[in-house]
Amino acid sequence: MAYAIEAQGLRKTFKHHEAVRGVDLTIRQGELFALLGPNGAGKSTTIHMLTTLVRPDGGTASVCGYDVVKQAAAVRERISVTGQYAALDESLTGWQNLLLFAGLHGYSGKEARGLAEELLDSFHLADASHRPVSTYSGGMRRRMDLAVGTLSQPEVMFLDEPTTGLDPQSRLELWQSVRQLVKQGTTVLLTTQYLEEADQLADRIGFITQGRVIAVDTPEQLKEANGGKKLTIRLSEGAKAESAKIRQLLFSKYGLPIQSDYEERVISVRLQEPALAHSIIGTFMEQSIGFEDFALHDPTLDDVYFALTANGEKEVVL
Ligand SMILES: Nc1ncnc2c1ncn2[C@@H]1O[C@H](COP(=O)(O)OP(=O)(O)OP(=O)(O)O)[C@@H](O)[C@H]1O
Ligand SMILES: [Mg+2]
């Protein structure tokens, strides 16, 4: 099978700091892969090496079959990176920017106009097409970046934290645009700090921390294997004093360790088997333990992060 991106043992050290410590990745053509990790995990440095902007200190990587060091020019011809090459001209309108960049990519005036119209439509920017980019919101600007990025017809697009700083609505709109790119056959590698984003968009997630990819899996499996569901129960004011007793009860009956907040009012347990929630709530009612509400939800990035790091550094490759 042809891989769009392949990396083996990729490393980068800045002065004495090992930013990337042996990253292995294989990303299929047409796949949407999310590199998920906290601040300083090595996401951007990995992207910079794969996009030929930073030279690796060790390991190898290829994009579209071309080596990122020895065949950097061939790689650059086939990729686009948001925020890097799409240096939008603030004083020009969206429409003018697209015409300008289309011209730079060798399209004739007529082709450029047709393409600009198409892109403004599909990236939901038609209404703002005749306003200077300097007046665009953060979300519109990111979509404009993506639109310009597609002009070179890249086989692989790299999006480094495309939604950081966007409000929920703009984030949803950007997700739509990213999904559309993938539908058209583009391979996308995006980085994010949000589990929800990776969950919503990605075919597979690589979880990166401290310069190493410690798990690669589908969103469902990553969450199931490392977070399960989380049951959170808010105790009533009266039951708060009994939290030690409740802790013991849950541990002896279900073998579940409890996490609780600093006031011991909100307790939560990780459930590999979500149906157990019924039984736990039943036990609370039988024993007349007062609670105000409860919720069963997916693990957060923190939950997966703690579960993965608590289990030691293991790699789960599909
Ligand atoms: N040019 C540089 N010089 C020195 N240290 C660097 C440089 N670039 C990155 N680092 C360090 O390498 C580590 C990884 O940085 P990187 O930018 O790859 O993380 P990241 O996962 O993209 O984080 P964020 O989510 O904050 O963007 C960090 O500790 C960072 O301080
Ligand atoms: Mg970064």
Side-chain angles (χ1 to χ4, degrees), residues 14 17-20 37-46 160-161 193:
F14 293 108
H17 182 73
E18 283 185 286
V20 174
N39 282 132
K43 302 182 295 293
S44 296
T45 307
T46 302
D160 195 3
E161 298 201 24
Q193 298 186 34

Side-chain angles (χ1 to χ4, degrees), residues 36-58:
L36 171 71
N39 282 132
K43 302 182 295 293
S44 296
T45 307
T46 302
I47 297 265
H48 292 160
M49 289 190 280
L50 294 174
T51 56
T52 80
L53 298 170
V54 163
R55 197 186 166 97
D57 294 330

Side-chain angles (χ1 to χ4, degrees), residues 225-251:
N226 297 291
K229 287 273 182 185
K230 196 171 172 182
L231 174 67
T232 302
I233 305 169
R234 181 185 297 273
L235 300 174
S236 63
E237 192 59 39
K240 205 174 97 178
E242 296 177 84
S243 89
K245 194 183 109 196
I246 297 166
R247 185 183 297 265
Q248 205 181 10
L249 172 74
L250 285 187
F251 192 74

